[in-house]
Amino acid sequence: MIVYDFDSIASLLEEDGYLFKMLLNESGVVLFPHTIEHRDATKPGIKYADDSGGNALAAMVKPGRIEVRFHMQFSDERVKQIMERILALPELAFARTFLVTYQARTIMLGAV
């Protein structure tokens, strides 16, 4: 899996109330500031478009929580499998204990 643009959010992790976005699929994850729209953060193999377009999920990240938006092509189990792979990446170690939701339902409680 490829991690794109970790440097764009690294300094935010030092803040108490950070908020940033990400795109994700089986190819990897794109991390970016909350001021950028998901549809504008496309990378090779990872494309988000409104109304379940594209091949990637959109998510918001804040302390203790990752909220993944609905996408018609992604089941709960598929999202959980992708998130398990992403959270195993060294760059995402900070989020391993986070609650992960998909369509406002908890799909992962995070590891301790």
Side-chain angles (χ1 to χ4, degrees):
M1 289 189 112
I2 299 171
V3 178
Y4 289 100
D5 301 333
F6 177 79
D7 292 345
S8 74
I9 60 95
S11 64
L12 296 175
L13 298 175
E14 298 172 17
E15 300 175 13
D16 289 334
Y18 61 81
L19 177 67
F20 63 90
K21 297 178 180 181
M22 66 182 188
L23 297 179
L24 55 138
N25 66 17
E26 288 89 352
S27 297
V29 60
V30 183
L31 305 165
F32 52 99
H34 74 279
T35 55
I36 297 172
E37 294 296 326
H38 286 99
R39 66 179 169 269
D40 297 330
T42 295
K43 296 291 182 186
I46 305 173
K47 180 182 184 335
Y48 174 83
D50 295 331
D51 300 321
S52 293
N55 67 355
L57 294 153
M60 299 290 291
V61 182
K62 54 189 171 183
R65 189 175 191 94
I66 300 172
E67 299 171 353
V68 183
R69 290 186 187 165
F70 174 71
H71 191 300
M72 291 187 313
Q73 297 175 23
F74 290 82
S75 66
D76 288 13
E77 186 57 32
R78 184 175 175 197
V79 175
K80 182 178 178 185
Q81 289 172 358
I82 294 168
M83 286 304 306
E84 286 172 345
R85 290 182 60 208
I86 286 172
L87 293 175
L89 297 167
E91 295 91 341
L92 278 290
F94 71 90
R96 288 188 184 139
T97 61
F98 287 14
L99 176 77
V100 179
T101 62
Y102 180 51
Q103 303 179 71
R105 294 188 310 271
T106 299
I107 60 168
M108 293 178 66
L109 294 175
V112 184

